[in-house]
Amino acid sequence: MYRWKWMLFGAVLICGPIAQAQKPNDARVVLVMTDGMRWQEIFRGADESLLTKERYYDGRSVDGLRQKYLAGTAEERRRRLMPFLWGTFIPQGQIYGDRDAGSDASVTNGFNFSYPGYNETLTGHGDPRIDSNDDKPNPNVTVLEWLNRQPELKGKVAAFGAWETISNIVNAERCDCVVNVGYRPMEIHPMTAKMDLLNEVKANSPRFWDDESFDAPTFYTAMEYIREKKPRVVFLSLGETDDWAHAGNYGEYLESAHRVDGYLKQLWEELQSMPEYKGKTSMIFMVDHGRGAAPEEWRSHGQKIPESKYIFMGFVGSGVPARGLRTNVPAVKQSQAAATLAKYLGLDWNAEEKQAGRPVADAIK
Ligand SMILES: [Zn+2]
């Protein structure tokens, strides 16, 4: 009885309309995230009240950092902290999340910490099951995994994370995409001298954080992979901004943000020097969660710090209209990132993942 019913159902399925297969365009996309960086420093620059020697290495002088990062206006301070972001990325692209200028960007997952934030970014929706940072495989299919299933993109999706857990967040095993995290060596074929050296540096560096490397080896591993293998989709997750803030080291938090800006510059300039990427690459720069306010809660984030839901989301590149700093615009959500990323490749993530937020329409040409 039941068997017949199912056979009938099967027949209807077979005779029904076949879903239109999606085909990507010729674009490339890069998603860069720097863990737990506050919107406040992005848009206001360094906070003078926090840049004190009590919030640096064991009371080391911050005179040099104050000289480097402080200035009379928010515009000048943010330019000093992130010169590439403000000098090139934003003028050529756009950014959301300046709450001083009527632009909100926020997470929707309700947790305001890392795994839920990366999951929301990469799937387009929060998930109540993902309520910890436990290093477990993501039950959800991310947009990266889905892209890697497209025949045209198979093997051309790569993810790099300073934090070990990034591997499970993208579900490396099921995704079958290229993944390198933490201190793990990266093998490519043929192997290059640079990659060899990077692997040796990782193997012989002190484990300052047991599950996370500094950003530099992660960034240079990603760069070398991009040069050699020219992936179509790249996810780069950096972690120092979060760790230094938790440690209460505001000076190094600023320095790591400044280094991230340098990485964005190098990455963008190298991409524009390669024919595989020049003029056909879009880049997203954003964050998994925000943090609390000065003088204490800036160090932390989570459900107990509601304002840590506020983030920033920036877009630049061939698929992005140049609208600069967005002011007085409707709020955008972290859940919109996955569909926006897919849209740059001409693909509709919402057709695949019904729960996902819609693309940020203003950020797409
Ligand atoms: Zn954190």
Side-chain angles (χ1 to χ4, degrees), residues 242 246 289 301:
D242 191 64
H246 281 299
H289 56 76
H301 56 87

Side-chain angles (χ1 to χ4, degrees), residues 43-46 69-80:
F43 298 103
R44 298 172 181 167
Y69 293 126
L70 295 182
T73 64
E75 286 77 13
E76 181 55 24
R77 283 193 303 273
R78 68 196 185 193
R79 222 170 234 288
R80 289 187 178 198

Side-chain angles (χ1 to χ4, degrees), residues 82-152:
M82 313 221 47
F84 173 76
L85 185 71
W86 286 100
T88 302
F89 185 117
I90 296 171
Q92 292 180 12
Q94 46 184 295
I95 194 164
Y96 297 80
D98 186 352
R99 303 194 69 224
D100 299 327
S103 173
D104 274 1
S106 65
V107 311
T108 69
N109 60 66
F111 292 110
N112 310 338
F113 58 83
S114 290
Y115 201 143
Y118 290 111
N119 173 71
E120 179 175 339
T121 301
L122 297 173
T123 65
H125 59 87
D127 181 345
R129 293 173 300 176
I130 297 177
D131 58 359
S132 80
N133 276 339
D134 292 355
D135 196 5
K136 293 190 292 204
N138 195 339
N140 301 307
V141 172
T142 69
V143 71
L144 302 178
E145 180 174 341
W146 178 68
L147 293 173
N148 197 47
R149 282 184 199 161
Q150 312 301 314
E152 298 85 352

